[in-house]
Amino acid sequence: MAFKKKINSKAQDDKNSGFGANASSYGGRFVTKSGNANVRKTGIGFFEGISWYHTMLTIPRWKFFFIILSFYFLVNCAFASIYVLIGVEHLRGISAVSALDKFGQAFFFSIQTYTTVGYGHISPSGFLASFVASVEALFGLLSFAIATGLFYGRFSQPRAHIVFSENAIIAPYQDKTALMLRLAPYKNANLTEAEAKVTLGLHVEENGKMVNKFYQLKLELEKVNALTLSWTLVHPITEDSPLYQLTADDIKNTIGEVIVFIKLFDDMYSTTVVKRTSYTFDEVVYGAKYLPMFTRSEDENKTILHIDKLNLFEKVRL
């Protein structure tokens, strides 16, 4: 039996989701856990299809520093090789005899020129060596200007410092059930005017072919004035919900994804920041409830938010 027959007929699908309807053209999830679109672009040149600035701002910290240090080392190796090819006799102050010592002293002279430190122990002599040194000094100034901009961009880039629970759950809610997921701020930032939107994507059969259907899930609360503690997004599974009367087996055997979009205002950056994530049906736990994650301090003067308890839940019968 096609899953299409189990979808609540009262649920209205969303035509403006931004995702295509042809299920056969999609592979994997729509949105990654980190919030990026699960899309790889082809048919265009590599250098045309990549933004180096955005890449350097978003790559992991260890990759960023590895690229910076590797570039610094390789550039100085290249200029040191040029000085050796020109002849180290054109660099006053070099007293090396072996080829390795000559390259080593040329390498450190290159570093001094590239960084414009200029200790003065070694200096270029002749037009060619002086020309290469002047080009390297200019290249160094430009390189450090770019690196400084990247450092500042990474440091000052507005980010939504919130973390999502690893699993969404189907939990008891009043006299019914509800789809729930939890999020919390984890930095010392003031987040206000938080707004949430949740979209359900389903891989269903329609007119003999598989298609993608998207539904906007109504939340118990779509906005909160301030996000200071954890926030559990609750979608009551009513007679108008596309999840109405779906069993644990239906969720287990269906290709579906819950896409979450959060928009907040960060007082520190004085701008609006956003965060996205998604939960495939494999990451939805049927019959569970979240455990509390904030408590009163021992002196009863503060509320303690336990970020490490964000993903804790216990199984319950529905």
Side-chain angles (χ1 to χ4, degrees):
M1 180 172 61
F3 182 72
K4 174 63 178 175
K5 296 179 181 179
K6 290 183 175 289
I7 295 182
N8 185 5
S9 60
K10 294 182 180 180
Q12 297 296 320
D13 61 310
D14 183 8
K15 305 295 185 182
N16 301 316
S17 65
F19 300 96
N22 187 357
S24 62
S25 300
Y26 270 85
R29 63 199 307 157
F30 298 106
V31 176
T32 65
K33 292 296 287 184
S34 61
N36 297 318
N38 189 28
V39 176
R40 185 179 66 208
K41 301 178 178 67
T42 61
I44 191 171
F46 175 78
F47 292 103
E48 296 180 55
I50 188 171
S51 169
W52 292 105
Y53 178 72
H54 289 89
T55 300
M56 292 297 290
L57 289 185
T58 56
I59 58 176
R61 190 178 293 118
W62 72 269
K63 287 186 178 180
F64 176 78
F65 284 109
F66 177 77
I67 291 173
I68 294 294
L69 293 175
S70 297
F71 180 81
Y72 179 79
F73 177 78
L74 292 174
V75 166
N76 283 288
C77 282
F79 276 102
S81 300
I82 295 175
Y83 291 127
V84 171
L85 290 176
I86 293 174
V88 293
E89 63 271 11
H90 295 289
L91 299 178
R92 294 196 191 98
I94 288 185
S95 57
V97 177
S98 67
L100 183 60
D101 286 342
K102 291 179 180 178
F103 181 83
Q105 293 195 35
F107 177 78
F108 287 110
F109 169 73
S110 173
I111 290 177
Q112 296 167 23
T113 305
Y114 184 75
T115 59
T116 67
V117 171
Y119 291 126
H121 173 64
I122 302 174
S123 59
S125 174
F127 173 79
L128 195 55
S130 299
F131 176 77
V132 173
S134 62
V135 171
E136 183 178 11
L138 176 62
F139 187 74
L141 289 172
L142 296 177
S143 300
F144 278 102
I146 294 173
T148 301
L150 292 174
F151 269 105
Y152 178 77
R154 288 180 64 91
F155 183 77
S156 63
Q157 183 183 18
R159 300 176 187 271
H161 297 296
I162 59 174
V163 60
F164 293 94
S165 58
E166 294 178 0
N167 297 96
I169 61 174
I170 304 293
Y173 175 74
Q174 296 178 358
D175 58 344
K176 299 182 281 294
T177 58
L179 172 70
M180 300 184 185
L181 59 101
R182 192 156 66 173
L183 59 98
Y186 64 94
K187 293 275 190 183
N188 56 336
N190 293 321
L191 304 175
T192 59
E193 300 178 16
E195 181 179 352
K197 292 184 179 180
V198 180
T199 301
L200 173 66
L202 293 175
H203 190 71
V204 300
E205 182 179 349
E206 187 177 71
N207 299 326
K209 65 178 182 178
M210 302 307 294
V211 298
N212 295 323
K213 287 285 187 178
F214 297 92
Y215 302 87
Q216 287 292 330
L217 300 184
K218 295 181 180 179
L219 301 178
E220 176 192 41
L221 284 176
E222 294 185 350
K223 296 181 180 180
V224 292
N225 292 334
L227 185 59
T228 56
L229 297 173
S230 63
W231 184 16
T232 301
L233 302 182
V234 178
H235 165 65
I237 302 178
T238 64
E239 294 181 356
D240 296 324
S241 171
L243 297 173
Y244 185 63
Q245 292 185 337
L246 293 188
T247 65
D249 290 335
D250 291 331
I251 291 178
K252 181 179 179 180
N253 299 319
T254 302
I255 299 176
E257 185 174 345
V258 179
I259 304 169
V260 186
F261 176 85
I262 305 293
K263 182 171 64 173
L264 318 98
F265 184 83
D266 191 316
D267 289 351
M268 181 63 67
Y269 295 119
S270 190
T271 189
T272 299
V273 292
V274 299
K275 188 90 173 196
R276 290 174 292 270
T277 192
S278 76
Y279 301 87
T280 62
F281 274 9
D282 293 335
E283 298 164 336
V284 177
V285 180
Y286 190 91
K289 69 175 183 178
Y290 287 119
L291 298 178
M293 63 175 295
F294 56 88
T295 57
R296 182 184 300 167
S297 64
E298 293 183 0
D299 60 5
E300 299 187 356
N301 287 327
K302 282 188 178 294
T303 301
I304 308 299
L305 180 62
H306 302 275
I307 302 297
D308 56 337
K309 295 183 179 181
L310 178 67
N311 304 310
L312 296 185
F313 61 84
E314 62 181 6
K315 296 286 290 183
V316 296
R317 293 180 61 88
L318 297 181

